[in-house]
Short mmCIF file of all heavy atoms in Angstrom, two decimals:
data_model
loop_
_atom_site.label_atom_id
_atom_site.label_comp_id
_atom_site.label_asym_id
_atom_site.label_seq_id
_atom_site.Cartn_x
_atom_site.Cartn_y
_atom_site.Cartn_z
N LEU A 1231 -12.34 0.05 -186.81
CA LEU A 1231 -11.93 -1.26 -187.31
C LEU A 1231 -10.50 -1.22 -187.85
O LEU A 1231 -9.73 -2.17 -187.65
CB LEU A 1231 -12.90 -1.72 -188.40
CG LEU A 1231 -14.28 -2.16 -187.91
CD1 LEU A 1231 -15.23 -2.37 -189.08
CD2 LEU A 1231 -14.19 -3.43 -187.07
N ALA A 1232 -10.14 -0.14 -188.50
CA ALA A 1232 -8.78 -0.03 -189.05
C ALA A 1232 -7.73 -0.01 -187.95
O ALA A 1232 -6.63 -0.56 -188.11
CB ALA A 1232 -8.68 1.23 -189.92
N SER A 1233 -8.05 0.61 -186.82
CA SER A 1233 -7.11 0.71 -185.70
C SER A 1233 -7.26 -0.45 -184.72
O SER A 1233 -6.55 -0.51 -183.72
CB SER A 1233 -7.33 2.02 -184.96
OG SER A 1233 -8.63 2.07 -184.37
N GLN A 1234 -8.18 -1.35 -184.99
CA GLN A 1234 -8.50 -2.50 -184.14
C GLN A 1234 -9.01 -2.08 -182.76
O GLN A 1234 -8.91 -2.84 -181.79
CB GLN A 1234 -7.32 -3.45 -184.02
CG GLN A 1234 -6.94 -4.11 -185.34
CD GLN A 1234 -5.96 -5.26 -185.18
OE1 GLN A 1234 -5.98 -5.96 -184.16
NE2 GLN A 1234 -5.11 -5.44 -186.16
N GLN A 1235 -9.57 -0.87 -182.67
CA GLN A 1235 -10.30 -0.51 -181.45
C GLN A 1235 -11.58 -1.32 -181.36
O GLN A 1235 -12.15 -1.48 -180.29
CB GLN A 1235 -10.63 0.99 -181.47
CG GLN A 1235 -9.43 1.90 -181.42
CD GLN A 1235 -9.84 3.36 -181.50
OE1 GLN A 1235 -10.74 3.80 -180.79
NE2 GLN A 1235 -9.20 4.11 -182.36
N ALA A 1236 -12.04 -1.80 -182.51
CA ALA A 1236 -13.19 -2.70 -182.58
C ALA A 1236 -12.81 -3.85 -183.49
O ALA A 1236 -11.97 -3.71 -184.38
CB ALA A 1236 -14.42 -1.97 -183.12
N LYS A 1237 -13.43 -5.02 -183.24
CA LYS A 1237 -13.19 -6.18 -184.08
C LYS A 1237 -14.51 -6.74 -184.57
O LYS A 1237 -15.56 -6.57 -183.93
CB LYS A 1237 -12.39 -7.24 -183.33
CG LYS A 1237 -10.98 -6.77 -182.97
CD LYS A 1237 -10.15 -7.87 -182.33
CE LYS A 1237 -8.75 -7.36 -182.02
NZ LYS A 1237 -7.90 -8.43 -181.43
N LEU A 1238 -14.46 -7.40 -185.70
CA LEU A 1238 -15.65 -7.94 -186.33
C LEU A 1238 -15.89 -9.37 -185.90
O LEU A 1238 -15.00 -10.21 -185.97
CB LEU A 1238 -15.49 -7.88 -187.86
CG LEU A 1238 -16.63 -8.47 -188.70
CD1 LEU A 1238 -17.90 -7.63 -188.54
CD2 LEU A 1238 -16.21 -8.54 -190.17
N LEU A 1239 -17.11 -9.65 -185.44
CA LEU A 1239 -17.48 -11.02 -185.12
C LEU A 1239 -17.97 -11.69 -186.40
O LEU A 1239 -19.01 -11.33 -186.96
CB LEU A 1239 -18.59 -11.06 -184.07
CG LEU A 1239 -19.05 -12.45 -183.66
CD1 LEU A 1239 -17.96 -13.17 -182.87
CD2 LEU A 1239 -20.34 -12.38 -182.83
N PHE A 1240 -17.18 -12.65 -186.86
CA PHE A 1240 -17.53 -13.35 -188.10
C PHE A 1240 -16.69 -14.62 -188.16
O PHE A 1240 -15.58 -14.66 -187.63
CB PHE A 1240 -17.22 -12.47 -189.33
CG PHE A 1240 -18.10 -12.76 -190.51
CD1 PHE A 1240 -19.39 -12.27 -190.57
CD2 PHE A 1240 -17.65 -13.55 -191.56
CE1 PHE A 1240 -20.22 -12.53 -191.66
CE2 PHE A 1240 -18.46 -13.83 -192.65
CZ PHE A 1240 -19.75 -13.32 -192.70
N PRO A 1241 -17.21 -15.68 -188.79
CA PRO A 1241 -16.47 -16.94 -188.82
C PRO A 1241 -15.05 -16.78 -189.36
O PRO A 1241 -14.85 -16.21 -190.43
CB PRO A 1241 -17.32 -17.83 -189.73
CG PRO A 1241 -18.70 -17.28 -189.58
CD PRO A 1241 -18.53 -15.79 -189.44
N ALA A 1242 -14.08 -17.28 -188.62
CA ALA A 1242 -12.69 -17.16 -189.04
C ALA A 1242 -12.39 -17.97 -190.29
O ALA A 1242 -11.42 -17.70 -190.99
CB ALA A 1242 -11.77 -17.63 -187.90
N SER A 1243 -13.23 -18.96 -190.59
CA SER A 1243 -13.00 -19.83 -191.75
C SER A 1243 -13.47 -19.22 -193.06
O SER A 1243 -13.27 -19.80 -194.12
CB SER A 1243 -13.70 -21.17 -191.54
OG SER A 1243 -15.11 -20.96 -191.38
N ASP A 1244 -14.07 -18.03 -192.99
CA ASP A 1244 -14.58 -17.41 -194.21
C ASP A 1244 -13.44 -17.17 -195.19
O ASP A 1244 -12.42 -16.58 -194.87
CB ASP A 1244 -15.25 -16.08 -193.87
CG ASP A 1244 -15.86 -15.42 -195.09
OD1 ASP A 1244 -16.93 -15.87 -195.51
OD2 ASP A 1244 -15.24 -14.49 -195.62
N THR A 1245 -13.61 -17.62 -196.42
CA THR A 1245 -12.52 -17.59 -197.39
C THR A 1245 -12.26 -16.21 -197.95
O THR A 1245 -11.21 -15.98 -198.56
CB THR A 1245 -12.83 -18.55 -198.56
OG1 THR A 1245 -14.09 -18.17 -199.14
CG2 THR A 1245 -12.91 -19.98 -198.09
N GLU A 1246 -13.18 -15.27 -197.76
CA GLU A 1246 -12.99 -13.94 -198.33
C GLU A 1246 -12.24 -13.01 -197.40
O GLU A 1246 -11.94 -11.88 -197.74
CB GLU A 1246 -14.35 -13.33 -198.68
CG GLU A 1246 -15.10 -14.09 -199.75
CD GLU A 1246 -16.34 -13.33 -200.18
OE1 GLU A 1246 -16.25 -12.11 -200.34
OE2 GLU A 1246 -17.38 -13.96 -200.36
N HIS A 1247 -11.90 -13.48 -196.22
CA HIS A 1247 -11.25 -12.61 -195.25
C HIS A 1247 -9.80 -12.34 -195.65
O HIS A 1247 -9.06 -13.25 -196.00
CB HIS A 1247 -11.29 -13.27 -193.87
CG HIS A 1247 -10.70 -12.44 -192.79
ND1 HIS A 1247 -9.67 -12.86 -192.01
CD2 HIS A 1247 -10.98 -11.16 -192.40
CE1 HIS A 1247 -9.35 -11.92 -191.15
NE2 HIS A 1247 -10.12 -10.88 -191.36
N THR A 1248 -9.40 -11.07 -195.57
CA THR A 1248 -8.03 -10.70 -195.94
C THR A 1248 -7.30 -10.01 -194.80
O THR A 1248 -6.17 -9.56 -194.97
CB THR A 1248 -8.04 -9.76 -197.16
OG1 THR A 1248 -8.81 -8.59 -196.84
CG2 THR A 1248 -8.63 -10.45 -198.37
N GLY A 1249 -7.94 -9.90 -193.64
CA GLY A 1249 -7.31 -9.24 -192.51
C GLY A 1249 -6.88 -10.23 -191.45
O GLY A 1249 -7.02 -11.44 -191.61
N PRO A 1250 -6.34 -9.73 -190.31
CA PRO A 1250 -5.86 -10.62 -189.25
C PRO A 1250 -7.01 -11.29 -188.52
O PRO A 1250 -8.11 -10.75 -188.44
CB PRO A 1250 -5.11 -9.66 -188.31
CG PRO A 1250 -5.75 -8.33 -188.54
CD PRO A 1250 -6.13 -8.31 -190.00
N ILE A 1251 -6.76 -12.47 -187.99
CA ILE A 1251 -7.74 -13.20 -187.21
C ILE A 1251 -7.23 -13.33 -185.79
O ILE A 1251 -6.07 -13.68 -185.56
CB ILE A 1251 -7.98 -14.62 -187.79
CG1 ILE A 1251 -8.61 -14.51 -189.19
CG2 ILE A 1251 -8.86 -15.45 -186.86
CD1 ILE A 1251 -8.74 -15.83 -189.88
N ASP A 1252 -8.07 -13.02 -184.81
CA ASP A 1252 -7.73 -13.21 -183.42
C ASP A 1252 -7.99 -14.67 -183.09
O ASP A 1252 -9.13 -15.10 -183.00
CB ASP A 1252 -8.60 -12.29 -182.55
CG ASP A 1252 -8.17 -12.31 -181.09
OD1 ASP A 1252 -7.48 -13.27 -180.69
OD2 ASP A 1252 -8.50 -11.37 -180.37
N HIS A 1253 -6.91 -15.43 -182.90
CA HIS A 1253 -7.06 -16.87 -182.69
C HIS A 1253 -7.49 -17.21 -181.26
O HIS A 1253 -7.66 -18.37 -180.94
CB HIS A 1253 -5.75 -17.58 -183.02
CG HIS A 1253 -5.44 -17.56 -184.49
ND1 HIS A 1253 -6.13 -18.30 -185.41
CD2 HIS A 1253 -4.54 -16.83 -185.19
CE1 HIS A 1253 -5.65 -18.07 -186.63
NE2 HIS A 1253 -4.70 -17.18 -186.51
N ASN A 1254 -7.66 -16.20 -180.40
CA ASN A 1254 -8.20 -16.44 -179.07
C ASN A 1254 -9.71 -16.56 -179.20
O ASN A 1254 -10.46 -15.66 -178.83
CB ASN A 1254 -7.84 -15.29 -178.13
CG ASN A 1254 -6.35 -15.17 -177.95
OD1 ASN A 1254 -5.67 -16.15 -177.70
ND2 ASN A 1254 -5.82 -13.96 -178.10
N ALA A 1255 -10.17 -17.65 -179.80
CA ALA A 1255 -11.61 -17.83 -180.09
C ALA A 1255 -12.41 -17.77 -178.81
O ALA A 1255 -11.97 -18.19 -177.75
CB ALA A 1255 -11.82 -19.16 -180.80
N LEU A 1256 -13.60 -17.24 -178.92
CA LEU A 1256 -14.46 -17.12 -177.76
C LEU A 1256 -15.10 -18.48 -177.47
O LEU A 1256 -15.58 -19.15 -178.35
CB LEU A 1256 -15.56 -16.08 -178.04
CG LEU A 1256 -15.04 -14.78 -178.65
CD1 LEU A 1256 -16.18 -13.81 -178.86
CD2 LEU A 1256 -13.98 -14.16 -177.76
N ASP A 1257 -15.08 -18.85 -176.20
CA ASP A 1257 -15.55 -20.18 -175.82
C ASP A 1257 -16.74 -20.04 -174.89
O ASP A 1257 -16.61 -19.62 -173.75
CB ASP A 1257 -14.41 -20.93 -175.11
CG ASP A 1257 -14.81 -22.34 -174.76
OD1 ASP A 1257 -15.81 -22.82 -175.30
OD2 ASP A 1257 -14.12 -22.95 -173.94
N THR A 1258 -17.91 -20.36 -175.38
CA THR A 1258 -19.10 -20.23 -174.55
C THR A 1258 -20.12 -21.28 -174.96
O THR A 1258 -20.09 -21.80 -176.06
CB THR A 1258 -19.71 -18.83 -174.72
OG1 THR A 1258 -20.77 -18.67 -173.77
CG2 THR A 1258 -20.28 -18.60 -176.09
N VAL A 1259 -21.03 -21.61 -174.06
CA VAL A 1259 -22.09 -22.56 -174.35
C VAL A 1259 -23.42 -21.90 -174.01
O VAL A 1259 -23.73 -21.67 -172.84
CB VAL A 1259 -21.91 -23.85 -173.53
CG1 VAL A 1259 -23.05 -24.81 -173.83
CG2 VAL A 1259 -20.57 -24.48 -173.83
N LEU A 1260 -24.18 -21.55 -175.02
CA LEU A 1260 -25.42 -20.81 -174.82
C LEU A 1260 -26.46 -21.60 -174.04
O LEU A 1260 -27.28 -21.03 -173.35
CB LEU A 1260 -26.02 -20.42 -176.17
CG LEU A 1260 -25.22 -19.38 -176.96
CD1 LEU A 1260 -25.87 -19.19 -178.32
CD2 LEU A 1260 -25.17 -18.07 -176.23
N ALA A 1261 -26.44 -22.92 -174.17
CA ALA A 1261 -27.49 -23.73 -173.55
C ALA A 1261 -27.34 -23.81 -172.04
O ALA A 1261 -28.26 -24.18 -171.34
CB ALA A 1261 -27.47 -25.14 -174.15
N GLU A 1262 -26.15 -23.47 -171.52
CA GLU A 1262 -25.94 -23.57 -170.08
C GLU A 1262 -26.44 -22.33 -169.37
O GLU A 1262 -26.30 -21.21 -169.87
CB GLU A 1262 -24.45 -23.76 -169.77
CG GLU A 1262 -23.90 -25.09 -170.23
CD GLU A 1262 -22.46 -25.27 -169.82
OE1 GLU A 1262 -21.87 -24.31 -169.30
OE2 GLU A 1262 -21.94 -26.37 -170.01
N PRO A 1263 -27.01 -22.48 -168.16
CA PRO A 1263 -27.43 -21.31 -167.39
C PRO A 1263 -26.21 -20.58 -166.86
O PRO A 1263 -25.10 -21.08 -166.91
CB PRO A 1263 -28.23 -21.94 -166.24
CG PRO A 1263 -27.64 -23.31 -166.08
CD PRO A 1263 -27.27 -23.75 -167.48
N ALA A 1264 -26.42 -19.39 -166.35
CA ALA A 1264 -25.33 -18.63 -165.76
C ALA A 1264 -24.72 -19.42 -164.61
O ALA A 1264 -25.41 -20.12 -163.87
CB ALA A 1264 -25.85 -17.28 -165.26
N LEU A 1265 -23.41 -19.32 -164.43
CA LEU A 1265 -22.74 -20.05 -163.37
C LEU A 1265 -23.21 -19.56 -162.01
O LEU A 1265 -23.43 -18.38 -161.79
CB LEU A 1265 -21.22 -19.84 -163.48
CG LEU A 1265 -20.51 -20.46 -164.69
CD1 LEU A 1265 -19.05 -20.08 -164.65
CD2 LEU A 1265 -20.66 -21.96 -164.71
N SER A 1266 -23.34 -20.49 -161.08
CA SER A 1266 -23.64 -20.11 -159.71
C SER A 1266 -22.40 -19.47 -159.11
O SER A 1266 -21.29 -19.60 -159.63
CB SER A 1266 -24.01 -21.34 -158.88
OG SER A 1266 -22.87 -22.20 -158.75
N ASN A 1267 -22.55 -18.78 -157.98
CA ASN A 1267 -21.40 -18.16 -157.33
C ASN A 1267 -20.35 -19.20 -156.97
O ASN A 1267 -19.15 -18.98 -157.12
CB ASN A 1267 -21.85 -17.41 -156.07
CG ASN A 1267 -22.61 -16.16 -156.40
OD1 ASN A 1267 -22.48 -15.63 -157.50
ND2 ASN A 1267 -23.42 -15.67 -155.47
N ALA A 1268 -20.81 -20.37 -156.48
CA ALA A 1268 -19.86 -21.41 -156.08
C ALA A 1268 -19.06 -21.89 -157.28
O ALA A 1268 -17.84 -22.09 -157.19
CB ALA A 1268 -20.61 -22.58 -155.45
N GLN A 1269 -19.72 -22.09 -158.41
CA GLN A 1269 -19.01 -22.54 -159.61
C GLN A 1269 -18.04 -21.48 -160.09
O GLN A 1269 -16.93 -21.78 -160.51
CB GLN A 1269 -20.01 -22.86 -160.72
CG GLN A 1269 -20.83 -24.11 -160.47
CD GLN A 1269 -21.92 -24.27 -161.50
OE1 GLN A 1269 -22.65 -23.32 -161.80
NE2 GLN A 1269 -22.05 -25.45 -162.04
N ALA A 1270 -18.46 -20.22 -160.05
CA ALA A 1270 -17.61 -19.15 -160.53
C ALA A 1270 -16.35 -19.03 -159.69
O ALA A 1270 -15.27 -18.72 -160.21
CB ALA A 1270 -18.38 -17.83 -160.52
N PHE A 1271 -16.45 -19.27 -158.38
CA PHE A 1271 -15.29 -19.16 -157.51
C PHE A 1271 -14.22 -20.19 -157.83
O PHE A 1271 -13.06 -20.03 -157.49
CB PHE A 1271 -15.70 -19.33 -156.04
CG PHE A 1271 -16.48 -18.16 -155.50
CD1 PHE A 1271 -17.29 -18.32 -154.38
CD2 PHE A 1271 -16.43 -16.92 -156.12
CE1 PHE A 1271 -18.02 -17.25 -153.89
CE2 PHE A 1271 -17.16 -15.85 -155.63
CZ PHE A 1271 -17.95 -16.02 -154.51
N LEU A 1272 -14.61 -21.29 -158.47
CA LEU A 1272 -13.67 -22.37 -158.74
C LEU A 1272 -12.67 -22.00 -159.82
O LEU A 1272 -11.60 -22.58 -159.89
CB LEU A 1272 -14.42 -23.64 -159.16
CG LEU A 1272 -15.32 -24.25 -158.09
CD1 LEU A 1272 -16.05 -25.46 -158.67
CD2 LEU A 1272 -14.51 -24.65 -156.86
N ALA A 1273 -13.00 -21.05 -160.68
CA ALA A 1273 -12.11 -20.74 -161.80
C ALA A 1273 -12.00 -19.23 -162.05
O ALA A 1273 -12.15 -18.78 -163.17
CB ALA A 1273 -12.59 -21.44 -163.06
N PRO A 1274 -11.68 -18.42 -161.03
CA PRO A 1274 -11.59 -16.98 -161.24
C PRO A 1274 -10.45 -16.61 -162.18
O PRO A 1274 -10.57 -15.69 -162.97
CB PRO A 1274 -11.35 -16.43 -159.83
CG PRO A 1274 -10.76 -17.57 -159.07
CD PRO A 1274 -11.42 -18.79 -159.62
N ALA A 1275 -9.32 -17.32 -162.09
CA ALA A 1275 -8.18 -16.99 -162.93
C ALA A 1275 -8.51 -17.19 -164.41
O ALA A 1275 -8.16 -16.37 -165.26
CB ALA A 1275 -6.98 -17.86 -162.55
N GLN A 1276 -9.22 -18.27 -164.72
CA GLN A 1276 -9.62 -18.53 -166.11
C GLN A 1276 -10.52 -17.42 -166.62
O GLN A 1276 -10.39 -16.96 -167.75
CB GLN A 1276 -10.34 -19.87 -166.21
CG GLN A 1276 -10.77 -20.21 -167.64
CD GLN A 1276 -11.51 -21.54 -167.69
OE1 GLN A 1276 -11.80 -22.13 -166.68
NE2 GLN A 1276 -11.80 -21.98 -168.89
N SER A 1277 -11.45 -16.95 -165.76
CA SER A 1277 -12.36 -15.88 -166.16
C SER A 1277 -11.60 -14.61 -166.47
O SER A 1277 -11.91 -13.89 -167.42
CB SER A 1277 -13.37 -15.62 -165.04
OG SER A 1277 -14.17 -16.75 -164.80
N ILE A 1278 -10.57 -14.31 -165.67
CA ILE A 1278 -9.79 -13.10 -165.88
C ILE A 1278 -9.04 -13.17 -167.20
O ILE A 1278 -9.01 -12.22 -167.98
CB ILE A 1278 -8.81 -12.89 -164.71
CG1 ILE A 1278 -9.59 -12.62 -163.42
CG2 ILE A 1278 -7.86 -11.73 -165.00
CD1 ILE A 1278 -8.75 -12.66 -162.19
N VAL A 1279 -8.41 -14.32 -167.47
CA VAL A 1279 -7.66 -14.49 -168.71
C VAL A 1279 -8.57 -14.31 -169.92
O VAL A 1279 -8.25 -13.59 -170.87
CB VAL A 1279 -6.98 -15.87 -168.75
CG1 VAL A 1279 -6.40 -16.14 -170.14
CG2 VAL A 1279 -5.88 -15.95 -167.70
N ILE A 1280 -9.74 -14.97 -169.89
CA ILE A 1280 -10.67 -14.87 -171.01
C ILE A 1280 -11.12 -13.44 -171.20
O ILE A 1280 -11.16 -12.92 -172.31
CB ILE A 1280 -11.88 -15.80 -170.78
CG1 ILE A 1280 -11.44 -17.26 -170.86
CG2 ILE A 1280 -12.97 -15.53 -171.80
CD1 ILE A 1280 -12.52 -18.25 -170.47
N ALA A 1281 -11.47 -12.77 -170.09
CA ALA A 1281 -11.95 -11.39 -170.20
C ALA A 1281 -10.89 -10.47 -170.78
O ALA A 1281 -11.19 -9.59 -171.58
CB ALA A 1281 -12.38 -10.89 -168.82
N GLU A 1282 -9.64 -10.68 -170.40
CA GLU A 1282 -8.57 -9.83 -170.90
C GLU A 1282 -8.37 -10.00 -172.40
O GLU A 1282 -7.89 -9.11 -173.08
CB GLU A 1282 -7.27 -10.14 -170.15
CG GLU A 1282 -7.25 -9.61 -168.72
CD GLU A 1282 -7.46 -8.11 -168.66
OE1 GLU A 1282 -6.82 -7.38 -169.45
OE2 GLU A 1282 -8.27 -7.66 -167.85
N LEU A 1283 -8.69 -11.18 -172.93
CA LEU A 1283 -8.52 -11.43 -174.36
C LEU A 1283 -9.64 -10.84 -175.19
O LEU A 1283 -9.52 -10.73 -176.41
CB LEU A 1283 -8.44 -12.94 -174.61
CG LEU A 1283 -7.24 -13.66 -174.01
CD1 LEU A 1283 -7.37 -15.16 -174.25
CD2 LEU A 1283 -5.93 -13.15 -174.60
N MET A 1284 -10.73 -10.47 -174.57
CA MET A 1284 -11.89 -9.99 -175.29
C MET A 1284 -11.69 -8.56 -175.76
O MET A 1284 -11.16 -7.74 -175.02
CB MET A 1284 -13.13 -10.05 -174.39
CG MET A 1284 -13.46 -11.43 -173.88
SD MET A 1284 -14.15 -12.47 -175.15
CE MET A 1284 -15.81 -11.81 -175.21
N PRO A 1285 -12.11 -8.23 -176.98
CA PRO A 1285 -12.05 -6.83 -177.42
C PRO A 1285 -13.07 -5.99 -176.67
O PRO A 1285 -14.08 -6.51 -176.20
CB PRO A 1285 -12.39 -6.93 -178.92
CG PRO A 1285 -13.20 -8.18 -179.04
CD PRO A 1285 -12.64 -9.13 -178.01
N SER A 1286 -12.79 -4.70 -176.54
CA SER A 1286 -13.71 -3.83 -175.82
C SER A 1286 -14.91 -3.42 -176.67
O SER A 1286 -15.93 -3.00 -176.14
CB SER A 1286 -12.98 -2.58 -175.33
OG SER A 1286 -12.44 -1.87 -176.43
N GLN A 1287 -14.77 -3.55 -177.99
CA GLN A 1287 -15.89 -3.25 -178.89
C GLN A 1287 -15.96 -4.33 -179.98
O GLN A 1287 -14.94 -4.67 -180.57
CB GLN A 1287 -15.69 -1.88 -179.55
CG GLN A 1287 -15.67 -0.72 -178.57
CD GLN A 1287 -15.59 0.62 -179.27
OE1 GLN A 1287 -16.61 1.25 -179.55
NE2 GLN A 1287 -14.39 1.08 -179.56
N VAL A 1288 -17.15 -4.83 -180.19
CA VAL A 1288 -17.34 -5.88 -181.19
C VAL A 1288 -18.43 -5.45 -182.17
O VAL A 1288 -19.50 -4.98 -181.76
CB VAL A 1288 -17.74 -7.22 -180.52
CG1 VAL A 1288 -18.06 -8.27 -181.58
CG2 VAL A 1288 -16.64 -7.71 -179.61
N VAL A 1289 -18.14 -5.61 -183.45
CA VAL A 1289 -19.10 -5.28 -184.50
C VAL A 1289 -19.77 -6.57 -184.96
O VAL A 1289 -19.10 -7.56 -185.27
CB VAL A 1289 -18.41 -4.60 -185.70
CG1 VAL A 1289 -19.41 -4.32 -186.82
CG2 VAL A 1289 -17.73 -3.31 -185.25
N ILE A 1290 -21.10 -6.56 -185.00
CA ILE A 1290 -21.87 -7.71 -185.45
C ILE A 1290 -22.70 -7.28 -186.67
O ILE A 1290 -23.36 -6.24 -186.64
CB ILE A 1290 -22.82 -8.23 -184.35
CG1 ILE A 1290 -22.00 -8.70 -183.14
CG2 ILE A 1290 -23.69 -9.37 -184.88
CD1 ILE A 1290 -22.86 -9.13 -181.96
N LEU A 1291 -22.63 -8.06 -187.72
CA LEU A 1291 -23.45 -7.77 -188.90
C LEU A 1291 -24.87 -8.22 -188.62
O LEU A 1291 -25.15 -9.42 -188.52
CB LEU A 1291 -22.89 -8.49 -190.13
CG LEU A 1291 -21.43 -8.15 -190.49
CD1 LEU A 1291 -21.03 -8.83 -191.80
CD2 LEU A 1291 -21.22 -6.65 -190.59
N ASP A 1292 -25.75 -7.27 -188.47
CA ASP A 1292 -27.14 -7.54 -188.10
C ASP A 1292 -27.96 -7.69 -189.37
O ASP A 1292 -28.50 -6.72 -189.90
CB ASP A 1292 -27.65 -6.38 -187.24
CG ASP A 1292 -29.04 -6.61 -186.69
OD1 ASP A 1292 -29.43 -7.78 -186.54
OD2 ASP A 1292 -29.74 -5.62 -186.42
N ALA A 1293 -28.05 -8.93 -189.85
CA ALA A 1293 -28.67 -9.22 -191.14
C ALA A 1293 -28.86 -10.72 -191.25
O ALA A 1293 -28.40 -11.47 -190.38
CB ALA A 1293 -27.78 -8.72 -192.28
N THR A 1294 -29.53 -11.16 -192.30
CA THR A 1294 -29.53 -12.58 -192.59
C THR A 1294 -28.12 -12.98 -192.99
O THR A 1294 -27.29 -12.12 -193.34
CB THR A 1294 -30.50 -12.93 -193.73
OG1 THR A 1294 -30.01 -12.33 -194.94
CG2 THR A 1294 -31.91 -12.42 -193.44
N TRP A 1295 -27.83 -14.28 -192.97
CA TRP A 1295 -26.49 -14.71 -193.37
C TRP A 1295 -26.21 -14.35 -194.82
O TRP A 1295 -25.09 -13.97 -195.17
CB TRP A 1295 -26.33 -16.21 -193.14
CG TRP A 1295 -25.95 -16.52 -191.74
CD1 TRP A 1295 -26.76 -16.92 -190.72
CD2 TRP A 1295 -24.64 -16.41 -191.17
NE1 TRP A 1295 -26.04 -17.07 -189.56
CE2 TRP A 1295 -24.74 -16.77 -189.81
CE3 TRP A 1295 -23.39 -16.05 -191.70
CZ2 TRP A 1295 -23.64 -16.77 -188.96
CZ3 TRP A 1295 -22.30 -16.06 -190.84
CH2 TRP A 1295 -22.43 -16.42 -189.50
N GLN A 1296 -27.21 -14.46 -195.67
CA GLN A 1296 -27.02 -14.11 -197.08
C GLN A 1296 -26.70 -12.63 -197.22
O GLN A 1296 -25.78 -12.24 -197.97
CB GLN A 1296 -28.29 -14.46 -197.87
CG GLN A 1296 -28.59 -15.94 -197.95
CD GLN A 1296 -29.36 -16.47 -196.72
OE1 GLN A 1296 -29.62 -15.72 -195.77
NE2 GLN A 1296 -29.73 -17.74 -196.77
N GLU A 1297 -27.42 -11.79 -196.50
CA GLU A 1297 -27.17 -10.36 -196.56
C GLU A 1297 -25.84 -9.99 -195.92
O GLU A 1297 -25.13 -9.10 -196.40
CB GLU A 1297 -28.32 -9.61 -195.86
CG GLU A 1297 -29.64 -9.67 -196.62
CD GLU A 1297 -30.82 -9.23 -195.79
OE1 GLU A 1297 -30.67 -9.10 -194.55
OE2 GLU A 1297 -31.91 -9.03 -196.37
N ALA A 1298 -25.50 -10.68 -194.83
CA ALA A 1298 -24.23 -10.39 -194.15
C ALA A 1298 -23.04 -10.65 -195.07
O ALA A 1298 -22.08 -9.87 -195.11
CB ALA A 1298 -24.12 -11.24 -192.89
N ARG A 1299 -23.09 -11.73 -195.82
CA ARG A 1299 -21.99 -12.02 -196.74
C ARG A 1299 -21.93 -10.98 -197.87
O ARG A 1299 -20.85 -10.61 -198.34
CB ARG A 1299 -22.14 -13.43 -197.31
CG ARG A 1299 -21.92 -14.50 -196.25
CD ARG A 1299 -21.81 -15.88 -196.84
NE ARG A 1299 -21.58 -16.86 -195.81
CZ ARG A 1299 -20.40 -17.11 -195.24
NH1 ARG A 1299 -19.34 -16.42 -195.62
NH2 ARG A 1299 -20.28 -18.03 -194.31
N LYS A 1300 -23.08 -10.52 -198.29
CA LYS A 1300 -23.11 -9.46 -199.30
C LYS A 1300 -22.50 -8.17 -198.74
O LYS A 1300 -21.71 -7.48 -199.42
CB LYS A 1300 -24.54 -9.20 -199.75
CG LYS A 1300 -24.68 -8.12 -200.81
CD LYS A 1300 -26.14 -7.94 -201.23
CE LYS A 1300 -26.27 -6.83 -202.26
NZ LYS A 1300 -27.70 -6.64 -202.68
#
Side-chain angles (χ1 to χ4, degrees):
L1231 287 171
S1233 64
Q1234 295 192 32
Q1235 295 178 48
K1237 295 185 179 182
L1238 177 66
L1239 180 69
F1240 208 79
S1243 60
D1244 183 77
T1245 56
E1246 296 188 42
H1247 183 237
T1248 58
I1251 295 174
D1252 187 340
H1253 291 288
N1254 297 312
L1256 313 181
D1257 183 16
T1258 188
V1259 179
L1260 292 175
E1262 292 184 353
L1265 292 177
S1266 66
N1267 288 338
Q1269 289 172 313
F1271 289 159
L1272 295 177
Q1276 181 181 7
S1277 298
I1278 294 169
V1279 170
I1280 291 173
E1282 287 302 315
L1283 295 175
M1284 301 286 283
S1286 60
Q1287 298 185 93
V1288 175
V1289 177
I1290 298 175
L1291 302 185
D1292 185 25
T1294 66
W1295 275 99
Q1296 294 84 357
E1297 291 166 348
R1299 291 191 179 281
K1300 180 179 179 180

